[in-house]
Amino acid sequence: MSPLSSQPGRHLVDGTVRVFLAGLLFPLTGLITAGFLTRRLGTDGYGLLVLSATLFGWVELGINSFFARPAIKFIGEAKNWLPVGSTLIRLQFVAGVVGGVLLGLLAFPLAWLLDEPLLAPYLALFALHIPISSLTQAHQSILVGIGNFRQKAVTNACRWIARLLLILVLVEMGLSVPGAIIGSLGASLVELAVSRRYVRPPLFGKVAILTRPFYDFGILLCVSSILFLIFSSMGLVMLKILGGTLEAAGIYGAAQNLSIIPGLFGMSFSPLLLSTVSRLLFEGRIDQAKSMGFGAMRMVVGLFPFGALVAGAAPEIVTLVFGQSFELAGPILGVLIMGAIAFVMVSVAVVIATASGAPLFTLYLSIPLVVLVLIGNLVMIPRFGAFGAAMVTALCQGIGALASLFAIHRLWGIFPPIGTFLRSAIISVLAYMLAVIWPTSGLLLMMKIGCIGVVIILAYFVSREFSHDEIALARSFIGSKAETIEQQKEM
């Protein structure tokens, strides 16, 4: 029996930690990359790169979201994953080719719409990235669906390290923005090569027709994922459409890039949660599935103090990473980070709705949010610029989180404890105050963030937020890691 079936809770925690730590290489290497690019490309060049990457991301995510969650759900429930996995690989690659052609054809019209002629060749270059990315993500879905969370963590780590090295080398060679795009494409190729070390479904052969439920889930989740992506990135695009300068777009994009860590955690956690919960529900272990959903909701509420820490230290963070010219990104980061944490609750709700066979929830939530953020940006950006866009985005993300809480309660009858909300609010105020009254600069900022982070965890411990089972689980992980280190020393 696999760990996914025998010890789903421990396997989920272990996988989440590993995938998240591997995923942390993205913001860590991304900070180095962003700091390097902002200094090499300037605010205008960096603004163009962020804008083209955002438009590319819409197409990429649309394709991947059509296949990813349904694939994870159905592979997780299958006794033999190979037929579904082989079909998934071929169909997703074909969809990636179509998406790449579509982005290439739209490159010049989009550049004209945004009044940035240089955007067209960058989008055309990103179009070559989409088929490779689609094929890579298909392999990732298989790894998650069959419960190989550790292998997924390895492939992610290889990707982010390769991305950093390739971008640094190519841009330093004088390739500028195209070098950054080619470096990202090369990193996807590295991730694909590593993924095929662990799973090797045949790339060629007959393309079988997937079952009707797969397409039903895929269409609904694809549309909602695109809407969620548009919702999250609309601030940047609307800022440019409504007359914002490339400098303003670069500043907003820099703050947006620093606020991705909560979203990264959600991206690391939600596929693993979906795989685990789907299998539990398929095996009839409903109470255990609900317990995992309950724990996921508590975890999201518990993240807010860490967001408050970042908000309090935001001016120092942006200055350290991007330089003094991006100082105006500090207040924007402080707002976006709190909204990004709230939006992780939406990821949990989408997982529960998908595993429960109710994907329509994602449409019921995503459509109103897009309408709200569109209206809000039209009102706030002309008056307050980039900061207004950030306020609208964060407020709408909070509304989405509240709607998700009530949706989960309606589906499964679970809700985070009021005590968790109160502890999170009090500790958030403490973390924010400590970050503000303790001024630092340079590398001392890392020590400050680490120290306040420890204070947050201790505050939760002293206030008895953690249960005995959670403490025992944490101790078991620490103990197992210590044993592994000792065994390696003996060898």
Side-chain angles (χ1 to χ4, degrees), residues 23-43:
L24 276 180
L25 286 172
F26 175 42
L28 291 176
T29 59
L31 290 178
I32 299 173
T33 305
F36 172 78
L37 291 175
T38 50
R39 289 167 172 80
R40 287 290 188 277
L41 305 179
T43 54

Side-chain angles (χ1 to χ4, degrees), residues 442-465:
L443 295 179
L444 289 177
L445 176 61
M446 298 296 102
M447 183 182 72
K448 166 182 166 176
I449 292 175
C451 290
I452 299 177
V454 171
V455 169
I456 292 171
I457 296 173
L458 290 176
Y460 273 128
F461 182 79
V462 171
S463 61
R464 298 185 179 180
E465 173 63 27

Side-chain angles (χ1 to χ4, degrees), residues 320-394:
L320 174 65
V321 176
F322 300 117
Q324 199 67 36
S325 60
F326 282 81
E327 186 178 6
L328 292 176
I332 298 173
L333 171 60
V335 173
L336 288 177
I337 191 70
M338 300 304 288
I341 290 176
F343 208 62
V344 178
M345 189 66 75
V346 176
S347 298
V348 174
V350 169
V351 166
I352 291 175
T354 303
S356 302
L360 272 173
F361 158 76
T362 59
L363 280 184
Y364 295 152
L365 180 61
S366 58
I367 293 175
L369 285 179
V370 170
V371 174
L372 282 175
V373 79
L374 175 62
I375 295 172
N377 280 321
L378 288 173
V379 173
M380 296 292 286
I381 288 178
R383 298 182 181 181
F384 303 102
F387 187 75
M391 288 292 293
V392 170
T393 299

Side-chain angles (χ1 to χ4, degrees), residues 63-78 80-89 91-92 134 136-147 210-211 213-219 221-222 271 274-276 278-279 354:
I63 295 170
N64 293 338
S65 61
F66 177 85
F67 291 96
R69 287 194 179 98
I72 292 170
K73 174 180 170 59
F74 288 101
I75 289 175
E77 296 173 353
N80 180 13
W81 64 267
L82 190 58
V84 179
S86 300
T87 299
L88 167 70
I89 290 286
L91 284 177
Q92 193 159 349
S134 298
T136 302
Q137 290 303 312
H139 285 79
Q140 294 287 297
S141 297
I142 293 174
L143 285 173
V144 174
I146 63 179
L210 294 171
T211 60
F214 188 100
Y215 289 107
D216 290 343
F217 273 78
I219 291 171
L221 293 174
C222 175
L274 175 60
S275 175
T276 306
S278 295
R279 185 172 293 275
T354 303

Side-chain angles (χ1 to χ4, degrees), residues 290-314:
K290 289 185 177 181
S291 176
M292 287 194 171
F294 177 77
M297 295 169 73
R298 279 184 57 228
M299 176 197 64
V300 176
V301 176
L303 291 176
F304 278 100
F306 297 96
L309 163 59
V310 173

Side-chain angles (χ1 to χ4, degrees), residues 127-331:
L128 301 175
H129 194 330
I130 294 178
I132 302 301
S133 172
S134 298
L135 192 58
T136 302
Q137 290 303 312
H139 285 79
Q140 294 287 297
S141 297
I142 293 174
L143 285 173
V144 174
I146 63 179
N148 288 3
F149 300 158
R150 295 187 178 187
Q151 289 82 349
K152 175 176 170 55
V154 173
T155 61
N156 288 354
C158 292
R159 175 185 181 180
W160 300 129
I161 293 172
R163 180 178 179 271
L164 169 65
L165 297 177
L166 289 172
I167 290 177
L168 291 181
V169 170
L170 293 174
V171 174
E172 190 65 29
M173 289 173 59
L175 294 180
S176 188
V177 175
I181 299 172
I182 295 171
S184 179
L185 189 156
S188 289
L189 287 171
V190 170
E191 185 179 27
L192 175 61
V194 177
S195 297
R196 287 197 64 80
R197 289 189 58 193
Y198 301 120
V199 287
R200 294 186 180 179
L203 297 177
F204 305 101
K206 181 180 178 181
V207 179
I209 302 299
L210 294 171
T211 60
R212 174 66 182 273
F214 188 100
Y215 289 107
D216 290 343
F217 273 78
I219 291 171
L220 290 173
L221 293 174
C222 175
V223 172
S224 61
S225 293
I226 292 175
L227 290 174
F228 281 135
L229 179 62
I230 292 173
F231 163 79
S232 299
S233 57
M234 188 176 290
L236 176 63
V237 177
M238 291 291 292
L239 179 64
K240 189 66 182 70
I241 291 176
L242 294 176
T245 63
L246 272 179
E247 181 179 1
I251 289 172
Y252 186 90
Q256 191 176 55
N257 284 342
L258 287 176
S259 68
I260 64 169
I261 293 181
L264 178 64
F265 181 81
M267 290 172 59
S268 303
F269 177 65
S270 58
L272 278 57
L273 181 64
L274 175 60
S275 175
T276 306
V277 169
S278 295
R279 185 172 293 275
L280 289 174
L281 292 176
F282 181 72
E283 295 173 352
R285 293 189 277 177
I286 298 175
D287 290 341
Q288 203 167 356
K290 289 185 177 181
S291 176
M292 287 194 171
F294 177 77
M297 295 169 73
R298 279 184 57 228
M299 176 197 64
V300 176
V301 176
L303 291 176
F304 278 100
F306 297 96
L309 163 59
V310 173
E316 300 160 347
I317 293 173
V318 297
T319 301
L320 174 65
V321 176
F322 300 117
Q324 199 67 36
S325 60
F326 282 81
E327 186 178 6
L328 292 176

